[in-house]
Amino acid sequence: LPSFPIDAIPSALKPLKEFCQAVAVSYQVPVDLPGMLGISVGAAALAKRVKVHVGGDHREPVNLFGVVVLPPANRKTGVFTVMQQPVAEFEQAEMVRMAPTVEMARNDRAILEASLKDAQKKAATAVKDDDRRAHRAAGPRSCPHPRSRSRCGR
């Protein structure tokens, strides 16, 4: 196979090129390894944010599935760890940033589930059909009877 075309990386991505070369020297691996991983990490960072206009109205996401293959004990894990570190740091920061929003959503869900259970209990113990319909309407729009094919009424 030909070696990775590190010089094909455009000048706008000069920091990536230099980083890949430095990692290759530091870990004493072919530049192919950090080069492919760098491009893969970049594609992951751009996923769902960038689409390539192929022609006409045809657009494609910048998904990339990279494969790096080296024999055992060739420092793949160390290089992978260094190359994906920005993604790991971003994910950690997002988890911290989104924690309050996630907790609010969990609380909202617990409240809705409790309301559903209450409505189901009231509907199950209601004496009149009209009361059952009213309690059923208070719950979600799906049938509480999992084996039923209709919306409700079994």
Side-chain angles (χ1 to χ4, degrees):
L1 291 174
S3 56
F4 185 81
I6 193 76
D7 292 326
I9 294 178
S11 60
L13 297 175
K14 184 178 177 184
L16 173 63
K17 176 181 177 179
E18 291 173 349
F19 183 64
C20 290
Q21 289 171 323
V23 169
V25 169
S26 175
Y27 281 85
Q28 298 178 355
V29 296
V31 74
D32 307 42
L33 180 58
M36 282 300 298
L37 293 174
I39 289 174
S40 297
V41 166
L46 296 174
K48 296 187 180 182
R49 287 188 165 85
V50 174
K51 290 190 177 186
V52 176
H53 181 215
V54 179
D57 63 347
H58 184 79
R59 300 182 190 281
E60 288 287 335
V62 291
N63 297 347
L64 177 68
F65 301 93
V67 177
V68 292
V69 180
L70 284 171
N74 273 281
R75 303 176 190 99
K76 293 183 296 290
T77 301
V79 174
F80 180 82
T81 301
V82 167
M83 297 305 293
Q84 64 85 35
Q85 185 176 356
V87 172
E89 289 173 0
F90 173 78
E91 288 175 343
Q92 184 64 37
E94 281 297 288
M95 285 178 20
V96 170
R97 184 181 74 82
M98 293 297 296
T101 303
V102 170
E103 188 59 32
M104 256 174 49
R106 284 186 181 139
N107 287 337
D108 289 348
R109 181 180 177 142
I111 290 167
L112 288 171
E113 286 175 347
S115 293
L116 173 62
K117 284 184 181 183
D118 185 50
Q120 288 172 333
K121 184 177 179 181
K122 288 178 182 176
T125 58
V127 176
K128 298 179 183 174
D129 282 343
D130 288 342
D131 290 342
R132 285 191 179 146
R133 279 193 218 82
H135 291 299
R136 220 177 7 237
R141 295 286 177 214
S142 61
C143 175
H145 308 102
R147 293 191 181 116
S148 171
R149 292 184 185 212
S150 65
R151 282 185 60 149
C152 202
R154 287 201 165 199

